[in-house]
Amino acid sequence: MSADENFFERVYQVAARIPYGRVTTYGAIAEVLGAKGSARMVGWAMNASHGREDVPAHRVVNRVGLLSGKHHFGGTNLMQQLLESEGVRVEGNKVAEFDRLLWKPEL
């Protein structure tokens, strides 16, 4: 397993713990893994996770709550639809009440 694959698996372990109806950020995942500044690599991991039902990639947004990864969901509104099905309101491609719904991972 390469270093990137190992990092991706660690990202997936954190993402799998995001509670239903909550969101976290690429940066928060990177930080808890001791890789502060690697938010983009977390984004690559989320993109590579499609097809894995154990990784709720739709719950990972950018640092201000924007659905910046939505184009990786087949060019549809699937990311928004999945969030809304969990009770997360999205307005203008951004999680409404972002501060209240933000989940900060811990190891």
Side-chain angles (χ1 to χ4, degrees), residues 50-67:
H50 292 290
R52 289 186 57 153
E53 292 186 19
D54 61 326
V55 180
H58 65 284
R59 295 181 189 151
V60 185
V61 298
N62 82 359
R63 64 187 171 88
V64 296
L66 286 171
L67 309 190

Side-chain angles (χ1 to χ4, degrees), residues 4 7-8 10-11 25-46 60:
D4 284 353
F7 181 78
F8 283 18
R10 292 173 56 219
V11 167
T25 67
Y26 302 103
I29 293 175
E31 187 171 346
V32 77
L33 293 176
K36 190 173 180 162
S38 295
R40 184 163 294 174
M41 194 144 169
V42 172
W44 294 336
M46 290 294 98
V60 185

Side-chain angles (χ1 to χ4, degrees), residues 60-103:
V60 185
V61 298
N62 82 359
R63 64 187 171 88
V64 296
L66 286 171
L67 309 190
S68 57
K70 75 177 199 166
H71 59 280
H72 294 294
F73 285 81
T76 66
N77 279 338
L78 182 58
M79 184 178 188
Q80 180 173 336
Q81 291 168 347
L82 289 168
L83 287 169
E84 289 175 340
S85 75
E86 296 182 11
V88 175
R89 200 170 81 254
V90 176
E91 296 175 354
N93 287 326
K94 186 175 179 183
V95 173
E97 300 182 79
F98 175 64
D99 291 337
R100 185 178 69 79
L101 296 176
L102 179 62
W103 176 75

